Structure formats: structure tokens, C-alpha cells
Amino acid sequence: MKLKILAIHGYRQSDVIFSGKLGSLRKSFKKEIDFTFIKAPHKVPPLESSEKKEEDDAEGFGWWFNTEDKVFKAIEPSNLSVGFEDSILLVEKTFRELGPFDGVIGFSQGASFVSILCAMQQKKISPIKFNFAILISGFKSLCEPHAIFYKDIKIELPTLHVYGEGDKIIPTQMAQELSDVFSIKKKFIHEGGHFVPGKKFIYNDFILEMLSKKSDLKESSQ
């Protein structure tokens, strides 16, 4: 028996890029997890050449933008969440066609998106159903249309929060504030920056616990 996990990439990434970033995790948990990777519906405009790093040559995608000219900055509040509804529809379609999924994993904007999916599930405003989430370098969305998802709620879904003290993209405080929204959680804070740490021990206890719960549910339903 394996866990089936939907993987939601970060801003300016893609399903292919995120699969690469999760390479060591996929290898470490190949007997325990089947990952399904999806690509956000919105193409991100390319960076100016002066801002580019080598890995930025690949096409990048995003789940929503917080400006009309298709830019997203996590640390800037905004009244906009351009393209968000399209992303919700894509996730719901993926659950219908490729699900069910036991859990969802997200990185950066993807982790922020996952937190909203958790809230939507608990508030029963989406048909999707999953049993746990892993949020890496996540943050509470500062887009005004998303405020409703975090309002008057303590999300009871089991979660693992992983983030770095040296993250220069998402301040540690923002990751901490996201974890505060959840009541059943484990946290791992590493010394590094904005990346997916690949050490198996970070995820192992949580993954084994979720596997055990799935096994118990299967037995009780037989």
C-alpha cells in the first residue's frame, strides 16, 4: 500500500521542475509514495536577463498573480488574485480524473495554495477531499480575496511544515504565521534557505504516521 500525493509546484516552476526538486524524496519514499505532478495554468512572464539565474531558462508557471501585469510577490499585500479561480478548477479536475489523493504537498506559492485548499475542504466550499498536507516554505497569502479562507478558522487537517531560517524569499515569520493556522501539525525548521530539503528523516515520521492511518482506515472499512 502506498500514499497517493498530489504535488503542487512553486511560482516560476512547473510540474517537471518540481519533480526534479523532489528527486531525493521520490527516491527515498519510492515504496511508500506515488506522486502526481500538475502544472499551474498560468505562464509567468520571463525575468529580465539581469535577474536571471541559469535555472530560470526553463518555462515557469504560477497559480495566481497579485498584479494586473502578471507578477507575483509573496510579501506584498494586494487586492488581486488574478487567475486563482482557474487554478482551483484545475485542481478539482485533477482530483476527479486522477484522484483520490491521500495528501497534497506544496512548495512556496504552491504551499500557500495548499493551505487554501485545506481551508476550502474544512469549510466545505470545494468537493476535493484529502487527509493530510506537507507545506514547504509556505506562507499565508496576502491577497485580499484569500483572507476569507484564513478567517475564523483553525485547520484540523494533519500537516507537516518545513521551512528555513535562512530563507531570503519567504521570511521565517510568514512561514510561522501559516503554521499557526493549523492545529494538528509537525514542524521542521532547517538552517538553509528557500528550497526543498531532501533528507529522509525530515519527513519520515509524518509519512509513516499517514501510512499507518491509511492502513487503519482500510482495515476498518473491510
Side-chain angles (χ1 to χ4, degrees):
M1 185 176 61
K2 287 185 173 184
L3 293 171
K4 197 169 173 187
I5 297 182
L6 180 65
I8 295 186
H9 63 76
Y11 185 73
R12 207 176 286 283
Q13 291 186 346
S14 67
D15 48 346
V16 175
I17 291 170
F18 196 36
S19 179
K21 304 274 186 199
L22 287 186
S24 56
L25 277 193
R26 289 190 292 109
K27 193 173 176 184
S28 295
F29 292 103
K30 62 178 181 286
K31 292 179 180 170
E32 291 86 10
I33 300 174
D34 278 330
F35 287 102
T36 298
F37 293 86
I38 58 169
K39 181 171 70 182
H42 308 294
K43 195 169 172 184
V44 176
L47 285 167
E48 299 293 323
S49 56
S50 60
E51 299 176 276
K52 266 191 185 181
K53 299 178 199 156
E54 201 175 331
E55 65 265 29
D56 291 331
D57 282 335
E59 274 194 333
F61 297 82
W63 301 102
W64 68 88
F65 305 102
N66 54 12
T67 70
E68 291 285 9
D69 55 353
K70 293 193 171 179
V71 173
F72 175 76
K73 290 185 177 166
I75 59 173
E76 291 185 12
S78 169
N79 292 323
L80 302 172
S81 61
V82 179
F84 176 75
E85 293 299 331
D86 295 329
S87 294
I88 291 292
L89 290 173
L90 173 63
V91 168
E92 290 178 351
K93 179 171 182 273
T94 303
F95 267 78
R96 281 195 310 273
E97 295 179 357
L98 301 177
F101 295 99
D102 299 298
V104 187
I105 186 171
F107 171 71
S108 196
Q109 190 192 45
S112 182
F113 190 24
V114 171
S115 75
I116 292 171
L117 296 175
C118 293
M120 291 179 85
Q121 175 176 268
Q122 186 159 314
K123 288 172 178 275
K124 296 183 168 54
I125 47 180
S126 173
I128 62 173
K129 180 89 179 75
F130 54 100
N131 300 321
F132 65 87
I134 299 172
L135 302 101
I136 304 168
S137 299
F139 54 91
K140 280 171 73 173
S141 171
L142 299 181
C143 296
E144 183 56 37
H146 299 163
I148 186 173
F149 301 120
Y150 302 110
K151 187 176 169 59
D152 302 326
I153 191 172
K154 203 74 169 172
I155 300 172
E156 293 163 6
L157 197 75
T159 47
L160 172 64
H161 300 259
V162 180
Y163 53 93
E165 290 178 328
D167 196 328
K168 300 285 194 288
I169 309 291
I170 303 300
T172 310
Q173 185 186 346
M174 287 183 74
Q176 177 65 53
E177 285 168 358
L178 180 66
S179 78
D180 289 343
V181 176
F182 293 84
S183 57
I184 308 168
K185 66 196 171 202
K186 288 182 163 62
K187 283 199 287 189
F188 184 86
I189 305 168
H190 58 88
E191 294 176 349
H194 195 68
F195 60 84
V196 179
K199 300 281 191 242
K200 184 176 183 179
F201 76 88
I202 296 172
Y203 310 90
N204 199 54
D205 288 352
F206 185 78
I207 294 298
L208 293 181
E209 188 183 325
M210 295 305 111
L211 262 174
S212 175
K213 282 187 177 179
K214 181 174 181 176
S215 177
D216 291 345
L217 279 171
K218 193 174 181 184
E219 284 177 18
S220 64
S221 66
Q222 286 175 350

